[in-house]
Amino acid sequence: MSRIVSIFLGLSLFGATSAHAECKLEKIVEFPVTMIDNKAVADAEINGTKVRFILDSGAFFSTISRALAKDLKLVTTDAPPEFRITGVGGEVRAQVTRVSQFKLAGVKIPQAAFLVTDADFGHAGLIGQDVLGFADVEYDLPHGMVRLMRSRDCADVNLAYWAAERPVTIMPIDRVNTDQPHTVGTVVLNTAKLRAMFDTGAYSTVVTLDGARRAGVTPSSPGVVEAGASTGLGSKVLQSWLAPFDLIDIGGEQIKRVKLRMSSLELSDADMLIGADFFLSHRVYVANGLRRLYFTYEGGPVFNIKPSGAMRPDGTRVAVADSGSEPKTADEFARRGAALIAKGDMAKAMADLNRAVEMAPGEARYVLQRGELHQRMDKDELALADFNQAVKLAPGDGEARVTRAAALLNAGEDAQALADLKAADAALPANADLRLSLGWLYTRAGDPVTAITNYDQWFRTHGDDPSRGSAFNGRCWARAVLGRDLDKALKDCNAALKVEPGSPDILDSRALVLLKSGDLQGAVADYSAVIAKQPRNAWALYARGIAHQRLGDTARAEADHKAALAIAPKITRYAARLGLVESGAPAAAATP
């Protein structure tokens, strides 16, 4: 690699010695990153095609999706039989490919090797420890940057070179090698010592059930609540809970009365993952050669709580303070804005995105980013205005078209949304990850036939993908709406339920299939299961009423319809769109 920058350090928390002048810290390369859905995403190129990768310190090797490999016509070979990839979602099949021209942050990496899997990353793939762990690495996610570094003769020097007089936490970590390539250290949860992997690819910090049990917490403990299912690399869907803990101590930085996610995941060499919610509030230097982690608190909540203090090497505890550094360019403002969104500080994020758009009004991605934030803040008109501007600036951008189509559907502008979907359909590669979104949106826009085509295209290269439950459900629903191939629809819904057992969304889809195919008792059973979990689900109530009516149970039909109309007075219009118009059923309320 090129572009090496040297930094000589003369300050240390350990006290001044003559050896300090010999410490040399080299910046090999830096990657600007944008936080998207709590993932650090960097720009790259494969054989001249621009792509985006997730920087994932929890991945032992860099990976691309099979869909992208096929789209770029990359040559793949089977991985050796003994070669296995295991993620939080289980084991996945893999092949290997070499890319003749790969650029990351503008730096050429000749003959870069990647694993190829069926997983849908939402981007091209993952940059793993084969890149991030080959030297030292600095994760500066609060300011949208990751840097590969090299240190020499720095054993007695504080490598948090940016900290000045601010407190720095220094934590021992395990030696990195081919058998254990991850960043792993010991933390204290309540009073239990747990092995923690520092994983930028993890959406949030998560504790295994065994680790939580050792800390005195189980799913049946007071204050623990179900937190739904989670997925990762692999096909398994894991149950998770949100649980209160008295204390977590990470290298001396303590956060008290914290709530952490715990999950049924199994980790081979750790009891928990320290995820993006930690990295977003810290600047972290991983000194692999020295087996140390250096980090400073950069502001904002950590696991929704501000840390009580950091530990100096001499054992004294000092208060932590926010970093005062400010962005200077539009891209820096946009990247910090994305980090603030991930941290939940929407007001400050909006100020940063406004500044980015002011500084670069012709850049569509900043406008699109701001529109998505407007949407999250329930400012739909401002969001749509930004989406319109983004499409105007980049009419061939499939992501902008899909985003605007969803907003138009929410606004009841189905015809305009359908035009955007068709434009995105034409612009996107056949194997694009966004075809999963296109399937859902085409169905909503009244074109289930094209929706099914997009699902079929997605499935061709996403066999083991953790999103396949959603895809099976979407295709099941599209077929049910269409009223065709109901046997295939039922198979899709049953396949979805194997991935996500008991999901009310999938049960609702299967109930419609059963209702349209004449299995009225089955439809009643599925809708009843949905209502048990979602008592105010107007559609499930109304549709169950239709099933009762067809079974001749007038009293139950009237009770369900009355309850549904009390929640959603126009629910009969939705039923009509699905081809379910019953003689004698209550009419929709008049439009105001």
Side-chain angles (χ1 to χ4, degrees):
M1 289 186 181
S2 58
R3 301 198 313 189
I4 295 177
V5 179
S6 298
I7 306 170
F8 293 91
L9 302 181
L11 296 176
S12 171
L13 292 180
F14 294 89
T17 73
S18 60
H20 294 167
E22 299 174 6
C23 172
K24 188 175 183 181
L25 190 62
E26 299 173 334
K27 180 171 69 177
I28 301 169
V29 68
E30 61 184 10
F31 315 133
V33 298
T34 300
M35 295 305 299
I36 301 176
D37 296 329
N38 265 37
K39 306 288 187 183
V41 178
D43 292 329
E45 286 187 20
I46 294 179
N47 295 342
T49 298
K50 292 183 178 181
V51 292
R52 307 184 89 180
F53 278 86
I54 298 168
L55 300 186
D56 184 359
S57 63
F60 82 97
F61 205 85
S62 297
T63 306
I64 62 174
S65 68
R66 200 175 309 281
L68 179 67
K70 184 175 181 179
D71 187 55
L72 296 181
K73 298 179 174 58
L74 300 179
V75 177
T76 59
T77 57
D78 289 335
E82 68 276 9
F83 197 77
R84 296 287 185 271
I85 303 177
T86 303
V88 299
E91 192 173 280
V92 297
R93 297 183 296 112
Q95 292 182 302
V96 180
T97 189
R98 287 192 176 274
V99 175
S100 59
Q101 298 180 31
F102 178 65
K103 286 185 180 180
L104 185 61
V107 176
K108 294 180 180 179
I109 304 176
Q111 294 299 314
F114 292 90
L115 299 177
V116 181
T117 77
D118 287 334
D120 178 0
F121 305 103
H123 300 282
L126 309 175
I127 298 298
Q129 285 293 91
D130 57 316
V131 174
L132 299 175
F134 91 96
D136 291 354
V137 58
E138 178 193 337
Y139 298 104
D140 185 11
L141 300 194
H143 305 104
M145 199 68 69
V146 172
R147 302 174 180 91
L148 296 186
M149 310 288 285
R150 182 181 293 115
S151 60
R152 287 185 288 182
D153 300 320
C154 296
D156 296 328
V157 174
N158 167 30
L159 292 183
Y161 60 89
W162 62 87
E165 297 302 316
R166 294 167 54 214
V168 177
T169 299
I170 303 173
M171 175 180 173
I173 57 174
D174 292 356
R175 184 181 302 280
V176 173
N177 52 45
T178 53
D179 293 328
Q180 203 296 95
H182 301 112
T183 303
V184 178
T186 298
V187 304
V188 178
L189 186 61
N190 287 348
T191 58
K193 291 185 177 181
L194 303 182
R195 286 172 55 77
M197 181 191 302
F198 288 78
D199 184 358
T200 60
Y203 178 84
S204 65
T205 293
V206 60
V207 190
T208 65
L209 288 179
D210 182 64
R213 179 189 55 77
R214 286 159 53 196
V217 178
T218 70
S220 59
S221 296
V224 176
V225 296
E226 290 190 11
S230 60
T231 60
L233 185 62
S235 59
K236 293 181 182 177
V237 177
L238 307 173
Q239 182 62 42
S240 65
W241 298 261
L242 197 63
F245 294 88
D246 294 331
L247 171 74
I248 182 170
D249 185 314
I250 304 174
E253 181 180 279
Q254 295 184 349
I255 304 108
K256 298 178 180 179
R257 293 179 294 280
V258 64
K259 288 188 176 182
L260 298 177
R261 189 176 297 273
M262 61 183 190
S263 170
S264 55
L265 84 165
E266 296 179 3
L267 302 173
S268 60
D269 55 357
D271 305 301
M272 66 183 299
L273 302 176
I274 303 292
D277 46 359
F278 175 83
F279 284 91
L280 281 166
S281 53
H282 293 84
R283 188 166 175 175
V284 181
Y285 187 101
V286 183
N288 286 311
L290 296 176
R291 297 172 58 187
R292 292 183 195 142
L293 206 66
Y294 302 80
F295 60 85
T296 58
Y297 172 69
E298 297 295 305
V302 190
F303 322 130
N304 297 317
I305 302 291
K306 184 174 180 178
S308 60
M311 187 78 76
R312 288 186 181 274
D314 61 5
T316 60
R317 187 171 299 283
V318 293
V320 293
D322 293 5
S323 167
S325 59
E326 282 294 312
K328 295 180 177 61
T329 67
D331 195 52
E332 288 173 353
F333 274 107
R335 285 188 277 112
R336 189 177 73 171
L340 288 166
I341 292 171
K343 292 162 73 171
D345 194 338
M346 304 304 178
K348 289 183 179 178
M350 183 59 73
D352 275 359
L353 294 180
N354 282 337
R355 189 77 179 100
V357 173
E358 289 169 5
M359 295 176 74
E363 183 58 63
R365 59 194 173 105
Y366 302 152
V367 182
L368 184 64
Q369 195 176 348
R370 186 177 67 178
E372 290 170 340
L373 179 54
H374 278 309
Q375 195 171 53
R376 290 182 65 166
M377 298 173 73
D378 295 324
K379 298 179 180 179
D380 294 340
E381 290 186 6
L382 293 174
L384 188 54
D386 275 345
F387 297 152
N388 288 338
Q389 181 64 13
V391 170
K392 182 178 179 181
L393 292 169
D397 188 318
E399 182 182 355
R401 290 281 189 173
V402 168
T403 303
R404 187 173 72 169
L408 289 167
L409 286 170
N410 290 337
E413 302 291 344
D414 291 13
Q416 292 182 48
L418 196 55
D420 269 347
L421 294 176
K422 290 179 179 178
D425 207 343
L428 291 169
N431 302 304
D433 298 335
L434 273 174
R435 296 215 170 266
L436 185 56
S437 298
L438 279 176
W440 279 109
L441 295 173
Y442 265 123
T443 304
R444 286 186 59 194
D447 188 353
V449 173
T450 310
I452 293 168
T453 299
N454 274 274
Y455 285 123
D456 290 344
Q457 288 178 295
W458 185 90
F459 270 115
R460 288 189 188 107
T461 49
H462 294 81
D464 290 332
D465 195 279
S467 298
R468 75 193 192 288
S470 177
F472 277 127
N473 183 35
R475 192 168 65 180
C476 170
W477 179 257
R479 284 171 166 157
V481 170
L482 192 61
R484 262 188 239 163
D485 295 324
L486 294 178
D487 54 337
K488 293 181 180 179
L490 185 59
K491 288 180 180 178
D492 275 344
C493 269
N494 287 335
L497 284 168
K498 287 183 179 179
V499 180
E500 300 180 42
S503 164
D505 290 340
I506 301 172
L507 288 170
D508 181 78
S509 298
R510 189 173 70 176
L512 181 62
V513 175
L514 296 173
L515 182 61
K516 287 197 170 185
S517 60
D519 185 351
L520 302 179
Q521 295 289 1
V524 167
D526 275 355
Y527 280 129
S528 295
V530 173
I531 294 162
K533 295 185 177 183
Q534 300 173 346
R536 290 187 57 79
N537 187 319
W539 165 246
L541 284 163
Y542 191 84
R544 187 175 69 176
I546 292 174
H548 280 313
Q549 189 172 14
R550 291 180 180 179
L551 285 166
D553 194 336
T554 305
R556 286 182 176 172
E558 289 180 352
D560 276 347
H561 286 154
K562 182 178 179 181
L565 288 165
I567 298 167
K570 299 178 183 178
I571 193 67
T572 52
R573 297 182 183 181
Y574 183 63
R577 288 184 63 181
L578 298 180
L580 296 173
V581 180
E582 296 293 294
S583 59
T591 304

